[in-house]
Amino acid sequence: MTKEELIQTIELLERLRNLKHLWVEEPISDPLMVMSLFLMKRHLMGYLTTPTSLAQAAEVPYTTATRRVAQMRNQGLIDLRPRTKSGRSFSVHPSPKLIAKMTSLLMATQSAVAISGTAKVGSRRSRRPAGRDFIGAPPIASNSLGFGNGLEILVVEDPAYSFGKPLRRELNYLMGGQARFHEASIDSLRQKILDNSELPQSRYDVVAVDLPMIAEFAQRGVLAPLDDVAGDSQLNSSDFVSSAWRGTVFAGNQYGIPILINPQLLFYRKDLFADLNIPPPHTTAQLLEAARVLHRPSIGQYGVSWTAARGGPVGQAFIQFLADFGQPVFQLDRSVGGFQTSRLSNKALKPLINTDRGHLAARFMIDLLAVSAPDVLSMGWDGQVDLLREGKVAIAYEWASREAQLNGFAAARELDYLPHPRGAIEGDRQPRSSVAPIGGFAFGIPSNIAPNRLRTAWNAIEWISSPEVIKLLVQHGGHVTPRLSVGSDPDVQQLSPMITAVDQMARRGQIRLWPRPPVSSFSSVVSILGEEIHDMLSGKQSISTTLQRSQERADQLS
């Protein structure tokens, strides 16, 4: 159930209770139920509740109500949080135990109403009974920020990862303090974190780190290792998408916790494919064939779009296409179904660009140009959303998170999702499955954080990465989750069919880290490719010259 459905079901129960005067002259009160409904509703709405206001809501004499409040506390149904530095004033919050009990009650109520067929609760008729896959509302942080304290968090400025005002307000209420979110664009985030590392003391308590940058920041001492501060943390690493979790480990140490993952997928218009009886593309050859048929510029329909703007977009595009042809951009050891990324260390790794597979990836990019949307060579991270919204493109290589920006558009309802098609190579001895290169962000702690802030920063990361809070983030527009349990939550799956598709890819092991490996020189190699590959696509130099120049420049980095 969504938060709105929970609130509306509470209001239904409150209305039913208010009808009691119609059948009994001296109504019998149930103060525990009344106070539980009152407290749960205010918690979901983000309103503070005091012991006095909770007692006043009980519909019994005040002294009786205060005894019931004490009873709720003794039963572990409520948590108290100090409201002042003196600690003499408290706010009251439902404990995880009460949240679980109330959620079960509200879901059972919604199911009963739906089964009766006489009414709806919330905006949708309930479709299912309560089950273990449902993740409830987030409880308050057990280690609150404390009265008058704040938390400085650097996040990426991206519509898919928007920490907007409603979400910030809710997070502040739950964390019991003032969290301030500072935004940086995708392209400026790395430099902002590096600049911050040069300060005597970090201006941020927590920073969002693009997964491939973990290695660079760990090697340069920009991030603090989390192993010691995490201590006896209850985080269940097996609940995280394995490639995302591995991406936060470098040289045997943990440097971050995945918060939002973002695999790059193939979006395709299943209706256009079906109309022409074209099968979904699972190889690059099939993709080019389909794109040529569906590329009809005369009616404003284009075969394919992808991010080929100069710099990071086209540099990363080459790296990901290279992976489609079965090769990472660095010399990694092979493993089952791919390449090893779990034992990377400070040792420099050789870039692999001017190779046979590099030539195949470059040729594929040139072939794509002939069936691509106009201005593809200036197509940045945000460029494809309008094309997809307007139904002007049949196929798009796009980050999964962007799907959340397509809600409500008719063309978006016809989209389906696949991992990247495989690059076919004659005589390839290694069987390969399609992969979806993983992107996304982890929360880490700057190494120059004030020592007295370290524990607070870790407590915040641990709480934000809980299933309940991750579900909250996804429901505010992320549409991608690093936790398998959240991907299985029926409420989350109803947000978009893409969520189920990504969840299935994760469970099949198709979301992989090795196409964008955590190697310290990754960002520098992307910058080189972003210049050289763009010059190639612009017709300024040949494939051979491009790959040779890229290889020579990348070799000089070590």
Side-chain angles (χ1 to χ4, degrees):
M1 295 176 68
T2 65
K3 178 175 69 175
E4 291 73 20
E5 288 177 317
L6 290 171
I7 292 171
Q8 290 170 353
T9 307
I10 290 173
E11 291 174 345
L12 170 65
L13 291 175
E14 289 175 336
R15 288 195 298 272
L16 291 174
R17 286 187 54 79
N18 290 335
L19 296 177
K20 59 185 177 292
H21 67 278
L22 298 176
W23 63 278
V24 61
E25 294 182 1
E26 296 183 4
I28 301 173
S29 180
D30 182 356
L32 289 180
M33 175 60 72
V34 173
M35 289 191 293
S36 296
L37 290 170
F38 176 81
L39 185 60
M40 183 72 173
K41 181 179 178 181
R42 290 184 65 82
H43 176 73
L44 291 170
M45 298 176 71
Y47 296 147
L48 286 179
T49 302
T50 65
T52 299
S53 62
L54 181 61
Q56 290 174 339
E59 300 179 355
V60 293
Y62 187 77
T63 54
T64 302
T66 56
R67 289 197 298 272
R68 293 292 185 267
V69 172
Q71 180 184 348
M72 293 178 74
R73 186 179 183 187
N74 291 336
Q75 293 177 352
L77 298 177
I78 60 176
D79 290 329
L80 302 181
R81 174 184 280 169
R83 297 180 62 202
T84 60
K85 289 184 178 180
S86 68
R88 296 177 181 175
S89 177
F90 296 89
S91 56
V92 186
H93 305 268
S95 70
K97 179 180 179 180
L98 180 58
I99 290 174
K101 285 180 173 291
M102 290 302 300
T103 301
S104 295
L105 169 65
L106 297 173
M107 291 176 65
T109 301
Q110 192 189 58
S111 294
V113 171
I115 290 171
S116 73
T118 59
K120 289 184 180 181
V121 179
S123 59
R124 299 168 292 171
R125 187 180 297 275
S126 178
R127 296 152 298 280
R128 67 284 186 211
R132 59 182 177 85
D133 290 335
F134 284 86
I135 296 170
I140 61 170
S142 58
N143 296 291
S144 68
L145 297 179
F147 180 79
N149 293 328
L151 192 73
E152 309 296 332
I153 304 178
L154 178 64
V155 298
V156 65
E157 182 183 9
D158 188 304
Y161 300 134
S162 176
F163 287 84
K165 288 183 178 179
L167 178 58
R168 294 183 188 192
R169 177 184 176 277
E170 190 162 359
L171 290 176
N172 283 332
Y173 158 74
L174 292 168
M175 286 193 287
Q178 183 65 39
R180 288 174 285 273
F181 295 87
H182 308 268
E183 294 185 337
S185 69
I186 293 175
D187 293 322
S188 68
L189 179 66
R190 173 178 173 269
Q191 192 59 50
K192 191 173 285 288
I193 293 174
L194 290 174
D195 291 344
N196 179 71
S197 71
E198 299 294 329
L199 299 176
Q201 185 171 298
S202 174
R203 63 167 56 100
Y204 310 114
D205 300 301
V206 175
V207 293
V209 183
D210 196 0
L211 288 177
M213 297 178 187
I214 291 285
E216 177 188 5
F217 290 164
Q219 190 169 343
R220 297 175 68 162
V222 172
L223 293 177
L226 301 180
D227 304 80
D228 291 339
V229 68
D232 57 352
S233 170
Q234 299 302 305
L235 273 179
N236 178 13
S237 61
S238 64
D239 187 39
F240 287 82
V241 174
S242 59
S243 53
W245 187 265
R246 290 197 306 271
T248 61
V249 177
F250 183 74
N253 294 315
Q254 189 90 28
Y255 285 93
I257 301 298
I259 297 298
L260 296 158
I261 69 164
N262 194 15
Q264 192 180 66
L265 309 177
L266 191 77
F267 291 33
Y268 74 98
R269 285 280 301 273
K270 58 187 178 182
D271 58 330
L272 299 180
F273 275 70
D275 289 345
L276 297 177
N277 199 28
I278 302 173
H282 295 288
T283 68
T284 53
Q286 292 173 348
L287 182 140
L288 285 171
E289 183 179 356
R292 289 172 184 138
V293 174
L294 295 167
H295 188 63
R296 304 170 65 189
S298 60
I299 63 170
Q301 178 181 299
Y302 308 104
V304 64
S305 66
W306 45 297
T307 53
R310 190 176 185 84
V314 78
Q316 295 208 39
F318 173 80
I319 288 173
Q320 287 154 191
F321 289 138
L322 181 62
D324 295 342
F325 284 87
Q327 183 201 301
V329 74
F330 293 97
Q331 192 167 17
L332 304 176
D333 294 333
R334 283 195 174 274
S335 65
V336 177
F339 295 86
Q340 181 63 252
T341 57
S342 61
R343 292 193 294 269
L344 299 181
S345 65
N346 292 335
K347 180 181 177 181
L349 294 175
K350 178 177 175 56
L352 297 178
I353 299 171
N354 191 13
T355 65
D356 290 344
R357 294 174 194 255
H359 279 256
L360 289 169
R363 169 52 57 189
F364 175 63
M365 296 174 81
I366 290 175
D367 290 343
L368 278 181
L369 284 179
V371 287
S372 291
D375 303 321
V376 68
L377 292 180
S378 59
M379 190 86 68
W381 307 120
D382 301 320
Q384 300 186 95
V385 171
D386 287 341
L387 289 175
L388 289 165
R389 284 173 175 168
E390 297 166 12
K392 292 184 176 180
V393 64
I395 307 168
Y397 285 91
E398 183 59 284
W399 297 103
S401 63
R402 301 291 179 180
E403 189 272 345
Q405 298 175 258
L406 305 177
N407 283 349
F409 291 87
R413 291 194 287 271
E414 301 295 340
L415 289 173
D416 208 347
Y417 313 93
L418 293 171
H420 276 214
R422 300 182 306 278
I425 301 176
E426 286 189 26
D428 196 344
R429 298 179 181 178
Q430 297 291 336
R432 293 183 288 114
S433 63
S434 298
V435 300
I438 191 171
F441 296 86
F443 271 171
I445 300 176
S447 58
N448 57 339
I449 189 174
N452 64 333
R453 303 287 299 166
L454 184 60
R455 173 54 59 178
T456 298
W458 166 252
N459 289 340
I461 291 176
E462 185 177 31
W463 179 79
I464 291 173
S465 61
S466 67
E468 293 82 5
V469 180
I470 292 293
K471 178 178 177 179
L472 181 66
L473 298 180
V474 172
Q475 289 176 318
H476 276 77
H479 280 201
V480 277
T481 166
R483 301 200 69 141
L484 298 173
S485 59
V486 179
S488 298
D489 181 275
D491 287 327
V492 169
Q493 290 183 344
Q494 289 181 45
L495 294 173
S496 164
M498 187 210 66
I499 293 174
T500 300
V502 169
D503 182 60
Q504 292 172 349
M505 291 179 206
R507 296 177 187 277
R508 290 195 295 261
Q510 292 177 310
I511 298 179
R512 305 304 292 267
L513 181 63
W514 65 262
R516 302 175 76 243
V519 175
S520 58
S521 57
F522 180 84
S523 297
S524 298
V525 170
V526 168
S527 296
I528 291 169
L529 291 168
E531 296 171 359
E532 300 292 346
I533 296 295
H534 196 271
D535 284 347
M536 178 194 74
L537 295 174
S538 301
K540 297 178 182 179
Q541 58 191 27
S542 67
I543 291 177
S544 296
T545 299
T546 296
L547 299 186
Q548 182 178 346
R549 283 173 52 87
S550 299
Q551 186 71 59
E552 290 173 352
R553 291 177 64 184
D555 286 340
Q556 294 173 6
L557 295 173
S558 57

